[in-house]
Amino acid sequence: MNLNFDEEIKKEKRKKLIKTSLIWLGEIVFVIVLAFFIIHFCFRRTTTIGSSMEPTLYNGQEVFINTRSYMLFSPKREDVIAFYEKDKQEGEEEPLIAIRRVIACPGEKIKISDGKIWVDGTEYISKYTYPEIATGGIAEQELTCAENEYFVLSDTRSNTDDSRSSAFGMVNESQIIGKVSFRLKPFSRVNRPEQKSNQTEEGKK
C-alpha cells in the first residue's frame, strides 16, 4: 500500500511539473508574439542622418520610431519626431526621413531673435541645455504655424537645417511618421539633452 501511495504522489508531482512547465512555455510564447507585434506594427527602425540632432542623436545612430504615439494625441513641444522631408506620394519612392525637435505647435506664433525663442509673444526658456542659437533664419520675423503645421529645430542649434530655413520650412502633420522613442547602441530612451543644474537656474534669477 505504501508503494502505491508513493507512486501516486510522484505522479501528482510530475503532473504539476508538466502543468507548470506548459504554463511557463505559454507565457514565454505570448511575450515573444507580443514583442514581435509591437516591434513590427507599432515601431519602425531608422537611422539618423547628419549631425543636426547632436548631442541627443549622432550621425548613423539607429533609432526606433513609435508610429502609434500620435494616434490619440498630437506632438507637443520638445518631442523628438521623425517625418518625411516631403509628403509621401502614392507610387513614388519613399522620401528621406528627418528627425528634429518640436518647438512650436499648430496655431502658435514663433519668433527667434538675439538667440532667444519667443512663442506667442512669451520667451520660451527650456529647462534643458542647448547650444546657443546663432541665427533665427526666417523666424527672425514672426511666423505663425498653420493648424496642421509644426515648427522644428535641430538640437545642434547652430545647424539651421530646420524650420528656420525657407527650403526646409514647417513640418506638415501629414509628413509625421511618429515619435522617436528609443535609440540603439547603447539602448536607451530618447530624452531631452542634459538638464540645467540648479546653480545655473538660480544664477538666472
Side-chain angles (χ1 to χ4, degrees):
M1 291 291 293
N2 288 336
L3 291 175
N4 290 337
F5 182 73
D6 290 342
E7 189 63 30
E8 286 297 323
I9 292 176
K10 289 179 180 179
K11 285 183 179 179
E12 286 298 320
K13 286 183 177 179
R14 282 196 293 270
K15 286 180 181 179
K16 287 182 179 179
L17 180 61
I18 292 171
K19 184 178 179 181
T20 302
S21 299
L22 289 174
I23 291 173
W24 273 97
L25 180 61
E27 290 177 347
I28 291 170
V29 171
F30 173 77
V31 170
I32 291 173
V33 171
L34 180 63
F36 177 85
F37 175 83
I38 291 174
I39 291 174
H40 287 270
F41 295 97
C42 298
F43 285 88
R44 177 173 176 177
R45 189 170 172 173
T46 192
T47 302
T48 303
I49 300 175
S51 60
S52 61
M53 288 302 291
E54 292 181 4
T56 306
L57 298 171
Y58 291 87
N59 182 44
Q61 191 165 30
E62 292 182 297
V63 296
F64 278 122
I65 306 167
N66 184 343
T67 59
R68 299 290 184 266
S69 57
Y70 299 128
M71 290 185 68
L72 298 177
F73 303 99
S74 299
K76 62 181 184 297
R77 200 174 345 274
E78 293 278 8
D79 277 2
V80 177
I81 61 171
F83 52 93
Y84 294 115
E85 290 191 351
K86 63 176 183 177
D87 279 312
K88 187 178 179 182
Q89 302 296 326
E90 188 175 350
E92 292 184 356
E93 289 188 6
E94 185 174 85
L96 291 175
I97 296 175
I99 297 173
R100 299 291 187 274
R101 193 178 296 277
V102 174
I103 298 300
C105 299
E108 293 183 332
K109 298 180 184 296
I110 182 163
K111 182 178 181 180
I112 300 177
S113 177
D114 297 325
K116 297 179 180 179
I117 300 172
W118 302 82
V119 178
D120 285 342
T122 300
E123 183 181 355
Y124 174 66
I125 301 176
S126 175
K127 60 181 179 180
Y128 296 91
T129 303
Y130 296 100
E132 290 186 8
I133 298 176
T135 176
I138 60 173
E140 289 182 355
Q141 301 296 320
E142 188 176 74
L143 303 175
T144 302
C145 299
E147 289 305 313
N148 60 346
E149 290 181 336
Y150 293 84
F151 185 96
V152 298
L153 284 180
S154 306
D155 276 4
T156 305
R157 296 292 161 87
S158 59
N159 186 329
T160 57
D161 188 23
D162 51 34
S163 293
R164 288 173 289 175
S165 166
S166 59
F168 194 102
M170 301 280 190
V171 176
N172 196 289
E173 195 174 65
S174 61
Q175 296 171 246
I176 298 174
I177 301 169
K179 182 178 181 179
V180 181
S181 301
F182 299 94
R183 57 186 169 193
L184 304 177
K185 298 179 183 178
F187 181 81
S188 64
R189 290 189 64 86
V190 172
N191 295 311
R192 299 172 177 86
E194 182 182 353
Q195 188 167 355
K196 294 177 181 177
S197 66
N198 291 332
Q199 183 176 358
T200 301
E201 290 297 321
E202 289 172 1
K204 289 188 175 182
K205 291 180 182 179

